[in-house]
C-alpha cells in the first residue's frame, strides 16, 4: 500500500465517524439515544456475563474431568505388577472403551495398555511425553510419573465435553440476544414514559407560542420525581408569567386612562386659547393653567417610571433608618409649614452595641427608603391629621398621623395603582404613592402594614424588616 493511500483511508474513516456522530447527534430522538445507550451498556454487560459463565462452566467441567482422570490413574497405579521396566497392568483392570490407560517409558514408548493386548515388539519410540493434564486431539490426557522412571497416561474422549460446551455457548448466545432485544424494548418504553412530561412541556410552550394564549398549563406528572418537579416548576412559572402579564395589562389600561384625563384637559385649554385672539392676561392665565396640567403629567410620568423600575434587581446595602428619617423629615419641613401641619420624628431604637444601634440598621436601598418615607409623609401631610410623626424602632419605620386614616376595608383597594381614597378626588395626586411603597418593600423582603389606634385615634403605616444579627455590622 502506498504512503498516499493511508492518509486517504484515514480521511474516509474520519469522515464516516463524523457523519455517524452527526446523525446520532441530530437525527435521532432523545428516546432513541437513551435506548441505544442503554442497549449498548446492557449488551456489553450481558455478553461479558455470558463469557464469564462460559469460561467458569468450561473450567468447572474440565476440573471435574481431570479429577476423574486422577482417580483412574490412582486406581491404575494400584493395579501394576512387577518392577522396573517389566511392570504391567493386571488383567483385571479393564477400563471402558472411552477411557485409555497406558504405561509409558520415559521416552514415550508404550509398554502396556490396560484391557488391551500388549504392543508388539519393535514399536517405534515416541517423542518425550508432557506430564500433567492437557488436551490433545479431542482427548483429555493426564500423565503422571511412576517410581523407576516410567509414566502412566490416562486419557478420555472429550467430545462429550466439547458438545456440552458448544450447546452451552449457543444457549448463552441465544439468551443474550433475547435479553438484549427485550431490554431495548423495555428501555424505549421506560424512556418514552420518562420523557412524556417533557413532550407535554414542549407542546404547551409551542401552543402558547402559536396561539399567544398564556393560560395553557402542563398536565402535572404523578409522584415526586424530577419530572413531577419539572412540570410543577413550569406551571408555577406560567402562573407567575400570567399574573405578571395581567398586572402589566391592567396597569397599562389604567395608566392610559389616567394620562388621557390631563391630556384631554390640556388639549381643551389649548383649543380654547387658540379659538380667537385674546388679551395678554388671558393668554398668561391659560398658560398658567396648562403649566399646572403639565406638572401633573410630569408627576404622573415620574410615578409610573419609579413604579416600573421596581422590577429590576435590588442592590441592597446596610443603611441607618434614623439617618434616613432625619434627612427626609428635614426636606419636608417646608411643606408641613405650608400645610399648617406639625412634623417630627422619634427614635425608639434598642441598646447601643459598640457605639452603634444595631436595631436601626437594615438591608435596603438608600434612595428607595427615602422615596418610601417621602411618599408616606406626603400622604400623611396631605390627607392626615395635624400632627405627623416618624417613629424609628428596631428594624422598622412607622409614619403616624393624628387623623382617622382610610377605612380598613379600603386598604387593599388603595394599594393598587391610581386608586384614591373616598372624597379625595379634588386633592392633587396620582394614586401611585402607596403602590410604589408596596413594590419597594417587596424588593427588600420587608412588610407594609396599616395601623389604627382605636383608643386615642390616629393612623399609621409601618414598614418592617425581619431581625438580623447585629454582630454582622462592621
Amino acid at each position: 500500500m502506498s504512503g498516499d493511500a493511508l492518509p486517504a483511508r484515514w480521511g474516509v474513516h474520519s469522515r464516516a465517524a463524523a457523519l455517524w456522530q452527526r446523525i446520532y447527534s441530530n437525527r435521532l430522538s432523545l428516546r432513541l439515544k437513551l435506548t441505544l445507550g442503554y442497549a449498548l451498556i446492557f449488551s456489553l454487560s450481558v455478553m461479558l456475563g455470558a463469557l464469564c459463565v462460559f469460561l467458569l462452566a468450561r473450567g468447572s467441567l474440565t476440573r471435574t474431568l481431570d479429577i476423574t482422570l486422577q482417580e483412574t490413574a490412582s486406581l491404575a497405579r494400584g493395579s501394576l505388577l512387577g518392577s522396573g521396566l517389566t511392570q504391567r497392568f493386571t488383567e483385571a483392570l479393564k477400563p471402558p472403551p472411552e477411557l485409555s490407560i497406558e504405561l509409558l517409558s520415559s521416552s514415550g514408548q508404550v509398554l502396556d495398555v490396560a484391557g488391551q493386548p500388549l504392543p508388539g515388539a519393535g514399536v517405534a519410540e515416541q517423542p518425550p511425553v508432557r506430564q500433567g493434564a492437557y488436551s490433545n486431539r479431542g482427548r483429555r490426557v493426564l500423565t503422571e510419573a511412576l517410581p523407576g522412571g516410567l509414566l502412566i497416561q490416562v486419557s478420555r474422549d472429550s467430545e462429550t465435553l466439547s458438545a456440552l460446551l458448544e450447546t452451552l455457548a449457543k444457549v448463552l448466545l441465544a439468551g443474550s440476544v433475547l435479553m438484549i432485544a427485550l431490554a431495548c424494548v423495555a428501555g424505549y418504553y421506560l424512556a418514552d414514559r420518562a420523557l412524556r412530561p417533557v413532550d407535554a412541556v414542549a407542546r404547551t410552550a409551542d401552543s402558547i407560542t402559536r396561539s399567544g394564549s398564556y393560560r395553557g398549563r402542563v398536565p402535572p406528572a404523578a409522584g415526586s420525581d424530577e419530572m413531577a418537579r419539572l412540570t410543577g416548576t413550569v406551571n408555577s412559572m406560567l402562573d407567575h408569567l400570567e399574573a405578571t402579564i395581567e398586572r402589566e395589562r391592567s396597569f397599562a389600561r389604567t395608566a392610559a386612562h389616567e394620562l388621557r384625563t390631563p391630556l384631554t384637559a390640556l388639549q381643551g385649554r389649548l383649543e380654547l386659547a387658540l379659538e380667537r385672539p385674546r388679551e395678554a392676561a388671558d393668554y398668561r392665565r391659560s398658560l398658567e393653567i396648562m403649566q399646572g396640567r403639565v406638572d401633573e403629567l410630569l408627576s404622573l410620568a415620574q410615578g409610573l417610571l419609579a413604579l416600573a423600575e421596581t422590577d429590576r434587581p435590588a442592590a441592597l446595602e446596610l443603611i441607618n433608618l434614623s439617618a434616613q428619617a432625619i434627612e427626609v423629615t428635614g426636606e419636608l419641613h417646608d411643606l408641613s409649614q405650608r400645610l399648617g401641619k406639625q412634623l417630627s420624628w422619634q427614635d425608639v431604637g434598642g441598646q447601643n452595641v459598640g457605639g452603634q444601634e444595631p436595631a436601626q440598621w437594615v438591608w435596603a436601598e438608600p434612595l428607595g427608603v427615602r422615596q418610601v418615607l417621602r411618599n408616606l409623609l406626603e400622604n400623611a401631610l396631605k390627607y392626615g391629621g395635624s400632627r405627623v410623626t416618624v417613629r424609628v424602632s428596631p428594624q422598622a419605620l412607622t409614619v403616624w398621623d393624628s387623623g382617622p386614616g382610610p377605612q380598613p376595608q379600603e386598604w387593599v383597594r388603595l394599594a393598587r395603582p391610581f386608586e384614591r381614597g373616598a372624597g379625595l378626588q379634588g386633592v392633587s395626586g396620582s394614586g401611585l404613592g402607596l403602590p410604589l411603597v408596596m413594590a419597594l418593600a417587596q424588593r427588600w423582603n420587608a412588610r407594609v402594614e396599616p395601623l389604627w389606634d382605636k383608643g386615642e385615634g390616629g393612623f399609621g403605616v409601618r414598614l418592617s424588616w425581619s431581625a438580623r444579627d447585629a454582630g454582622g455590622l462592621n
Side-chain angles (χ1 to χ4, degrees):
M1 184 180 293
S2 64
D4 295 336
L6 287 175
R9 177 166 293 185
W10 291 341
V12 171
H13 290 330
S14 62
R15 286 194 296 272
L19 178 62
W20 168 249
Q21 183 177 6
R22 185 162 59 251
I23 293 175
Y24 180 79
S25 302
N26 301 329
R27 300 293 179 85
L28 299 182
S29 66
L30 182 57
R31 286 175 173 79
L32 287 178
K33 291 179 182 179
L34 291 175
T35 303
L36 290 177
Y38 171 74
L40 177 61
I41 296 174
F42 185 78
S43 300
L44 293 176
S45 302
V46 169
M47 297 305 293
L48 182 61
L51 179 60
C52 292
V53 170
F54 178 80
L55 294 177
L56 290 174
R58 186 179 68 176
S60 177
L61 293 174
T62 303
R63 284 193 300 271
T64 302
L65 182 57
D66 290 343
I67 292 173
T68 302
L69 294 178
Q70 291 173 1
E71 293 176 349
T72 303
S74 299
L75 179 63
R77 281 197 300 268
S79 301
L80 288 172
L81 298 175
S83 62
L85 296 177
T86 63
Q87 293 185 85
R88 295 293 182 272
F89 295 114
T90 62
E91 295 181 359
L93 181 60
K94 294 182 179 181
E98 70 273 8
L99 190 65
S100 175
I101 304 175
E102 297 177 339
L103 183 65
L104 308 176
S105 65
S106 59
S107 60
Q109 181 181 2
V110 179
L111 302 178
D112 192 14
V113 179
Q116 296 183 14
L118 293 175
V123 176
E125 293 188 356
Q126 303 296 325
V129 179
R130 187 177 68 181
Q131 297 187 26
Y134 56 93
S135 297
N136 183 28
R137 297 179 181 179
R139 298 184 69 85
R140 188 67 179 173
V141 180
L142 174 66
T143 305
E144 294 181 350
L146 295 174
L150 298 183
L151 301 173
I152 186 171
Q153 186 176 78
V154 182
S155 63
R156 183 168 185 170
D157 186 8
S158 59
E159 290 182 358
T160 304
L161 175 62
S162 300
L164 180 60
L165 291 176
E166 184 179 354
T167 303
L168 177 61
K170 292 179 179 179
V171 171
L172 290 175
L173 181 60
S176 300
V177 172
L178 179 61
M179 291 176 63
I180 292 172
L182 293 176
C184 290
V185 175
Y188 186 85
Y189 174 74
L190 293 176
D192 179 70
R193 288 203 60 183
L195 292 176
R196 283 177 186 174
V198 178
D199 290 338
V201 172
R203 286 194 300 269
T204 302
D206 182 69
S207 174
I208 292 175
T209 302
R210 293 178 180 275
S211 65
S213 175
Y214 46 84
R215 302 186 186 278
R217 294 297 182 269
V218 181
S224 59
D225 56 6
E226 291 81 356
M227 290 303 175
R229 292 198 298 270
L230 172 64
T231 56
T233 302
V234 170
N235 285 334
S236 298
M237 179 192 67
L238 292 175
D239 291 339
H240 178 73
L241 289 176
E242 180 182 359
T244 301
I245 293 173
E246 289 295 334
R247 185 169 61 250
E248 294 294 336
R249 285 185 174 181
S250 176
F251 181 79
R253 287 193 296 267
T254 308
H257 175 75
E258 294 295 327
L259 286 170
R260 184 176 60 182
T261 301
L263 286 173
T264 302
L266 183 60
Q267 182 183 24
R269 177 57 62 179
L270 284 171
E271 291 175 353
L272 182 62
L274 296 174
E275 184 180 12
R276 57 184 175 82
R278 298 179 182 276
E279 299 292 333
D282 293 335
Y283 281 121
R284 182 177 181 84
R285 186 164 50 255
S286 296
L287 290 175
E288 289 176 350
I289 294 174
M290 285 187 283
Q291 183 180 15
R293 296 297 184 183
V294 171
D295 291 340
E296 292 180 7
L297 285 172
L298 287 176
S299 176
L300 182 59
Q302 290 174 354
L304 291 173
L305 180 60
L307 192 59
E309 288 181 347
T310 58
D311 291 335
R312 60 182 175 84
L316 302 182
E317 302 177 16
L318 268 176
I319 63 171
N320 190 301
L321 293 180
S322 297
Q324 304 296 323
I326 294 173
E327 181 178 347
V328 177
T329 303
E331 292 174 356
L332 295 180
H333 179 72
D334 293 340
L335 177 62
S336 65
Q337 293 293 321
R338 290 197 305 269
L339 297 176
K341 303 291 183 69
Q342 180 182 350
L343 178 61
S344 60
W345 75 281
Q346 297 177 356
D347 191 345
V348 292
Q351 290 181 316
N352 291 345
V353 179
Q356 293 182 332
E357 296 178 355
Q360 315 300 345
W361 293 82
V362 296
W363 290 94
E365 297 167 299
L367 294 178
V369 172
R370 287 196 288 272
Q371 182 70 49
V372 166
L373 269 174
R374 178 179 290 276
N375 287 0
L376 292 178
L377 284 174
E378 287 179 351
N379 285 344
L381 291 173
K382 290 180 182 179
Y383 315 129
S386 59
R387 295 188 308 277
V388 179
T389 305
V390 180
R391 297 176 182 174
V392 182
S393 56
Q395 284 83 39
L397 279 172
T398 304
V399 176
W400 190 271
D401 71 80
S402 57
Q407 296 297 322
Q409 62 270 19
E410 290 187 349
W411 176 257
V412 176
R413 181 180 64 83
L414 295 177
R416 297 196 293 265
F418 307 111
E419 293 290 346
R420 308 287 300 280
L424 299 178
Q425 278 67 27
V427 183
S428 62
S430 60
L432 294 175
L434 186 57
L436 181 58
V437 170
M438 305 287 283
L440 289 172
Q442 186 177 7
R443 285 166 56 85
W444 311 326
N445 293 323
R447 186 173 65 256
V448 178
E449 53 185 335
L451 304 173
W452 285 273
D453 188 348
K454 298 182 180 179
E456 300 179 0
F459 172 75
V461 178
R462 187 171 186 264
L463 177 66
S464 60
W465 286 260
S466 58
R468 289 181 178 268
D469 186 9
L473 301 174
N474 296 321

